[in-house]
């Protein structure tokens, strides 16, 4: 079976390092926020080109602590998209704020930056684009809007580790960039994890406070905080994967390039100008998605849908629902093909051959 995700495929390459990391942490006497976390934060900041990284328990918590670091709370408004995974919206609601949805651009399926201004009200506190699938929002337009309007951008980079826009990495355009290390992600932990990156030292300090009860060196909460601490084992494991990341990411990009060439006639979301896509998901568009998926599965190929129901149409977020025709139409067609770095080119060729046999793709 050619699988969508298979963390065991690459384990042999790092098994010894993982074993050593495990024993190093056990022998260190520190299980939470210790030297592994500090080292990982330095290394992750360097990898993204940001000054500071604050490691947390998940991508959801990364978004939450970032919104709280901007003092976003009850009834504030956050402009975002519904073409995302639901935790983007869960984090906004956890902060007490309201998601205000804009539609996506019909070519790229990323936030339609041209639709943002008309959604701005006196209560707008943040613009939160989602770089879904490893693609990227129109960053130059968004930065212009953000500085004209004086509203900060928080990037949802949960799926965008390794994505570049011109010479900058995802996460370094807005005030903060929020990453997930859920195991399926391009940089995945062996459990949950996340991080916020920023170039702003005051925000970094505040993120650290919020991450742990609002404590500032003593058992007194200076500001309201939560428990969003990463643990030393995950930080140690992530350091190993981060070192491998450029190499493994190149394998993923090589797999994507095979699809780009072999499936050139098949519709897909446009990669925005100046963007180096990181292909967290390799997404194509099919009018006959369900039959394509079952055909592939019968021939030993898994595929996925990211995502079948846009978040504004989910029962939990009904009250924020507005019509988003492009988002809704995309949700009926998006189809993700296996692309991860544990797959070899021959396997991608097999997927291509099978797809090219399907007459009504
Ligand atoms: C776009 C997006 N945002 C946020 C998250 C939340 O990340 P986590 O699962 O680490 O909480 C995810 C996770 O899949 C995601 O894909």
């Amino acid at each position: 079976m050619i699988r969508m995700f298979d963390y065991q495929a690459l384990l042999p390459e790092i098994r010894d390092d993982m074993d050593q990391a495990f024993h190093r942490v056990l022998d260190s006497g520190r299980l939470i926020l210790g030297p592994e976390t500090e080292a990982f934060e330095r290394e992750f900041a360097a990898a993204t080109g940001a000054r500071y990284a604050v490691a947390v328990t998940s991508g959801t918590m990364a978004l939450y602590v970032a919104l709280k670091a901007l003092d976003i709370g009850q009834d504030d408004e956050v402009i975002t998209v519904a073409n995302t995974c639901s935790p983007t919206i869960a984090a906004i609601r956890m902060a007490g704020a309201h998601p205000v949805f804009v539609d996506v651009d019909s070519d790229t399926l990323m936030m339609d930056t041209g639709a943002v201004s008309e959604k701005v009200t006196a209560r707008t506190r943040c613009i939160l684009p989602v770089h879904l699938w490893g693609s990227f929002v129109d960053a130059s337009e968004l930065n212009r809007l953000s500085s004209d309007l004086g509203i900060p951008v928080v990037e949802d980079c949960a799926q965008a580790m390794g994505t570049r826009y011109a010479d900058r990495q995802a996460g370094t355009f807005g005030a903060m960039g929020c990453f997930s290390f859920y195991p399926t992600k391009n940089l995945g932990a062996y459990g949950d994890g996340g991080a916020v990156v920023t170039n702003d030292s005051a925000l970094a300090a505040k993120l650290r406070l919020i991450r742990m009860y609002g404590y500032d060196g003593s058992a007194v909460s200076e500001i309201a905080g939560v428990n969003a601490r990463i643990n030393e084992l995950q930080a140690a494991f992530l350091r190993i994967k981060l070192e491998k990341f450029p190499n493994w990411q190149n394998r993923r990009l090589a797999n994507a390039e095979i699809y780009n060439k072999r499936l050139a006639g098949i519709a897909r979301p446009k990669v925005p100008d100046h963007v180096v896509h990181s292909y967290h998901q390799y997404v194509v568009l099919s009018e006959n998605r369900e039959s394509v998926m079952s055909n592939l599965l019968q021939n030993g190929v898994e595929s996925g849908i990211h995502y079948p129901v846009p978040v504004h149409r989910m029962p939990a977020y009904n009250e924020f629902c507005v019509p988003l025709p492009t988002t809704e139409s995309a949700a009926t067609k998006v189809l993700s093909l296996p692309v991860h770095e544990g797959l070899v080119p021959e396997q991608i060729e097999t997927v291509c051959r099978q797809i090219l046999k399907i007459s009504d793709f």
Side-chain angles (χ1 to χ4, degrees), residues 2-81:
I2 298 179
R3 299 180 61 189
M4 287 294 287
F5 167 64
D6 181 7
Y7 79 91
Q8 286 168 320
L10 292 173
L11 215 42
E13 289 186 38
I14 53 171
R15 182 128 228 166
D16 290 346
D17 293 342
M18 295 280 291
D19 287 346
Q20 277 172 28
F22 177 71
H23 291 291
R24 194 169 69 236
V25 171
L26 285 194
D27 292 339
S28 74
R30 290 289 293 273
L31 296 174
I32 298 266
L33 297 186
E36 299 290 341
T37 302
E38 281 165 27
F40 173 66
E41 288 179 340
R42 273 196 309 277
E43 291 157 7
F44 188 71
T48 56
R51 281 206 196 103
Y52 310 98
V54 178
V56 293
T57 38
S58 68
T60 310
M61 289 312 278
L63 288 162
Y64 172 81
V65 296
L67 295 172
K68 283 301 177 191
L70 293 173
D71 294 321
I72 291 173
Q74 213 57 44
D75 299 333
D76 288 336
E77 290 176 355
V78 175
I79 297 178
T80 191
V81 287

Side-chain angles (χ1 to χ4, degrees), residues 79-91:
I79 297 178
T80 191
V81 287
N83 185 28
T84 184
C85 191
S86 68
T88 310
I89 310 310

Side-chain angles (χ1 to χ4, degrees), residues 131-355:
H131 308 315
L132 203 69
W133 311 315
S135 187
F136 209 78
V137 71
D138 180 350
S140 54
E141 174 64 7
L142 201 60
N143 275 1
R144 193 189 57 73
L145 266 175
S146 165
S147 57
D148 286 359
L149 298 167
I151 299 171
V153 170
V154 171
E155 298 169 63
D156 184 336
C157 304
Q159 301 192 7
M161 176 58 184
T163 305
R164 290 206 311 273
Y165 180 91
D167 58 349
R168 286 163 72 177
Q169 304 272 347
T172 59
F173 281 86
M176 287 170 277
C178 303
F179 292 82
S180 162
F181 306 130
Y182 181 71
T184 59
K185 298 297 194 287
N186 292 23
L187 178 66
Y190 294 86
D192 276 310
V196 186
V197 298
T198 182
N199 287 327
D200 181 322
S201 60
L203 280 177
K206 204 161 169 193
L207 289 165
R208 288 182 203 289
L209 291 189
I210 298 168
R211 168 176 70 175
M212 184 164 157
Y213 318 141
Y215 281 7
D216 189 8
S218 69
V220 176
S221 299
E222 299 297 335
I223 57 174
V226 291
N227 174 0
R229 300 172 303 224
I230 197 164
N231 66 66
E232 284 285 276
L233 271 176
Q234 289 309 331
F237 294 157
L238 281 163
R239 292 181 67 197
I240 296 164
K241 298 260 314 255
L242 188 58
E243 207 184 313
K244 291 278 179 200
F245 184 79
N247 182 6
W248 287 7
Q249 182 62 15
N250 281 341
R251 294 186 202 171
R252 185 182 284 261
L253 294 183
N255 286 344
E257 198 44 39
I258 298 173
Y259 284 135
N260 285 341
K261 290 207 174 105
R262 299 269 282 123
L263 305 182
I266 283 178
R268 79 201 64 190
K270 183 174 178 282
V271 178
D273 294 341
H274 315 298
V275 170
V276 177
H277 202 298
S278 62
Y279 291 106
H280 173 59
Q281 301 295 351
Y282 192 95
V283 175
V284 292
L285 302 170
S286 169
E287 302 285 344
N288 296 309
R289 181 172 66 192
E290 270 66 31
S291 77
V292 169
M293 289 181 87
S294 62
N295 176 313
L296 288 175
L297 198 58
Q298 277 159 21
N299 289 283
V301 178
E302 282 184 357
S303 55
I305 305 177
H306 302 93
Y307 292 93
V309 180
V311 186
H312 69 304
R313 293 282 177 199
M314 293 184 182
Y317 304 113
N318 248 342
E319 64 191 290
F320 307 106
C321 188
V322 289
L324 301 170
T326 310
T327 302
E328 284 156 27
S329 153
T332 65
K333 298 181 201 142
V334 289
L335 170 64
S336 307
L337 304 177
V339 71
H340 62 84
E341 56 280 335
L343 295 170
V344 294
E346 294 70 46
Q347 290 173 298
I348 306 295
E349 287 288 350
T350 304
V351 182
C352 292
R353 270 196 304 278
Q354 195 52 43
I355 285 179

